[in-house]
Amino acid sequence: SDMVAVLQPVLSTLFGNGFSGPFAMLMFSEDVQSYDVNRTAKTIMAKGNMRSITKIGGVTIDDALTPYLAIATDNKAKGTPDTFFLSYKTPFWNTATNPLATPSQFVNGYSQFGGELIMGKVNVAS
């Protein structure tokens, strides 16, 4: 947002270069091992390896390479918002040890981020 762009130089001066706030996460795919479009279910599913970095108070508390499962669903026909869910597990984002970690509804033992999209859309053609 514009506010982040304005505050970033101030936060970096006060707390060190790269400081983005009291809580920050960066997640990105390192590779995609499989990609499946299910036109009947209106889903897109990708599996691969991702990097997950979590900082709290400017301190890196988790920096891991881990397998992931990403599932996007086109809910236009249902008249409900599209969804995107990312399932993975790291030393910090582990449901066995972290009460902040939401259990994945797709992969047993994994954590999950995601939900209804507030921007963008998933579009799976028939």
Side-chain angles (χ1 to χ4, degrees), residues 43-124:
T43 59
I44 302 168
M45 182 169 48
K47 292 180 184 179
N49 291 294
M50 64 175 266
R51 177 117 178 252
S52 173
I53 303 168
T54 303
K55 290 185 175 188
I56 297 178
V59 176
T60 301
I61 60 162
D62 198 36
D63 186 343
L65 187 64
T66 181
Y68 73 87
L69 169 67
I71 300 177
T73 304
D74 179 346
N75 289 317
K76 180 174 52 237
K78 297 178 187 172
T80 60
D82 295 339
T83 60
F84 177 81
F85 291 98
L86 178 66
S87 299
Y88 69 103
K89 182 166 91 173
T90 69
F92 181 75
W93 294 109
N94 183 333
T95 57
T97 56
N98 183 347
L100 298 175
T102 302
S104 171
Q105 60 185 306
F106 302 101
V107 183
N108 192 30
Y110 275 35
S111 297
Q112 167 182 292
F113 278 100
E116 294 181 351
L117 297 184
I118 57 172
M119 289 176 51
K121 64 180 181 175
V122 179
N123 191 0
V124 179

